[in-house]
Amino acid sequence: MQTEAFVLTKFGSSQEAFQLKEVSLPALQANEVLIKSEAFGLNYADVMARQGLYREAPPVPCVLGYELVGVVEQIGPDVNQEWLGKRVLAFTRFGAYAKHAITKLDALVEIPADIAAADALPFATQGVTAYYMTDMLAPIQKHDNVLVHAAAGGVGSFLIQLAKRKGANVIASASNPEKLAYCKELGAQHVVNYKAANITVEVQKILGEQKLQVAYNPIGGKTSKTDFKLLGPGGRLFLFGGSDLAQRKGLIGKLKFLSEMGFYLPIAFMMQSKSLLGVNMLKIADEQPHIIQQAMTEMLALYTNKQIQLPAIQNFKSSQFFEAHDALGAGSTKGKLAIYWD
């Protein structure tokens, strides 16, 4: 079938990179459903993809997007008929920037009619990423000292709340006073403006003789090396992004980004009793989609039970897609960006 989508045709600014046009969707396979989209979300990985910096992205032309809210319109040959007409939150292996998208049955959850699409979207990519790190892969322990980078973003805002829920001492890093105030509202005990101060010095001031137990880092570059040094025995450094790479120019810039991250010997992890954990939810979705479904379900339950709150939501119409994408790339947004089809 044919549907309309924002197609990434080349790299550059959003106006240069994307075209809104008709695309063809393949026939449904086993365990797949077709969803008519109400709204979809934006993520920073999408910005890196349109700049040609995200290796996981399909070759251009392609349709980006990891999550959408909509109604199941068609089902694969082995899917229960009961799914037809259900309103769902879905995690997609790309393809969500379209009016219709295909995903696996294992990567969606039914949501009630009274929850706004924009309110549900954060529980897919951002919510799943945060919950997987804090509660599944290497759970936070009570009294852990936790550093959250990009803390005012979609993942960061959930990390603050999930860590606080576990009884952790949370240090949130963000780029301006407004974002720092937002992090405090979410429960962070300490905040650091990384543009106005040296984050390593500030974290050491906060901790005194103590060490970090956990650092959540979506930035990469030299921040990952400094985070690793701040960890004490039993410390875990989570790397789940490389936003600093988007600021580097040319091959030399990219090579410098990699060298600044440092080089590690496996025996060093054992001798220091530290862990370096890489997180790529696309890979998890490929091999273990049930984890995506479980994490979405758990996050929605926490929200329903008023144990966590939504991150800041910024709503845009599809006619404002280019504006929203550029704002995300410029770092002038916070929380979740949702695009509703006009």
Side-chain angles (χ1 to χ4, degrees), residues 301-309:
L302 288 172
Y303 173 61
T304 301
N305 294 327
K306 303 187 186 306
Q307 292 180 266
I308 57 172
Q309 68 185 64

Side-chain angles (χ1 to χ4, degrees), residues 44 48 129-130 133-134 146-151 155-156 159 171 173 194 199-200 212 214-231 236-245 257 260-261 264 275-280:
Y44 195 81
M48 297 188 70
T129 303
M133 292 191 291
T134 62
V146 175
L147 173 62
V148 180
H149 289 277
V155 178
L159 287 171
I171 304 168
S173 170
Y194 69 84
I199 190 167
T200 300
L212 278 181
V214 186
Y216 294 110
N217 190 317
I219 302 169
K222 62 184 178 182
T223 62
S224 55
K225 186 189 292 185
T226 55
D227 283 357
F228 193 78
K229 290 180 180 178
L230 288 168
L231 293 176
R236 291 92 71 197
L237 169 58
F238 291 83
L239 292 176
F240 62 101
S243 61
D244 186 46
L245 182 60
F257 169 85
E260 286 177 353
M261 293 188 73
Y264 303 93
S275 300
L276 177 60
L277 300 158
V279 175
N280 182 335

Side-chain angles (χ1 to χ4, degrees), residues 68-69 87-91 107-109 111 120-121 123-124 296 300:
L68 74 153
V69 167
R87 187 168 183 254
V88 296
L89 168 65
F91 184 99
L108 56 82
V109 292
I111 57 173
L121 283 170
F123 297 111
M296 283 196 294
L300 283 163

Side-chain angles (χ1 to χ4, degrees), residues 174-317:
S175 62
N176 61 54
E178 180 188 2
K179 290 183 177 182
L180 295 175
Y182 172 61
C183 293
K184 293 284 280 187
E185 289 173 13
L186 292 174
Q189 290 95 329
H190 310 278
V191 293
V192 177
N193 185 333
Y194 69 84
K195 287 194 173 181
N198 182 299
I199 190 167
T200 300
V201 171
E202 295 303 310
V203 170
Q204 288 174 329
K205 285 180 183 178
I206 292 166
L207 295 180
E209 297 299 315
Q210 298 183 40
K211 295 287 187 179
L212 278 181
Q213 279 73 54
V214 186
Y216 294 110
N217 190 317
I219 302 169
K222 62 184 178 182
T223 62
S224 55
K225 186 189 292 185
T226 55
D227 283 357
F228 193 78
K229 290 180 180 178
L230 288 168
L231 293 176
R236 291 92 71 197
L237 169 58
F238 291 83
L239 292 176
F240 62 101
S243 61
D244 186 46
L245 182 60
Q247 313 306 317
R248 306 302 179 100
K249 305 298 182 184
L251 179 60
I252 293 177
K254 294 177 176 62
L255 291 174
K256 187 176 180 181
F257 169 85
L258 293 174
S259 67
E260 286 177 353
M261 293 188 73
F263 300 91
Y264 303 93
L265 293 172
I267 196 170
F269 297 116
M270 180 185 70
M271 296 301 293
Q272 298 178 55
S273 194
K274 296 181 182 181
S275 300
L276 177 60
L277 300 158
V279 175
N280 182 335
M281 296 313 296
L282 287 179
K283 297 297 187 184
I284 301 300
D286 285 345
E287 296 295 325
Q288 298 176 292
H290 62 278
I291 285 181
I292 304 296
Q293 192 174 54
Q294 179 185 344
M296 283 196 294
T297 300
E298 296 289 348
M299 286 295 286
L300 283 163
L302 288 172
Y303 173 61
T304 301
N305 294 327
K306 303 187 186 306
Q307 292 180 266
I308 57 172
Q309 68 185 64
L310 290 168
I313 306 289
Q314 295 183 251
N315 294 329
F316 297 85
K317 298 177 181 178

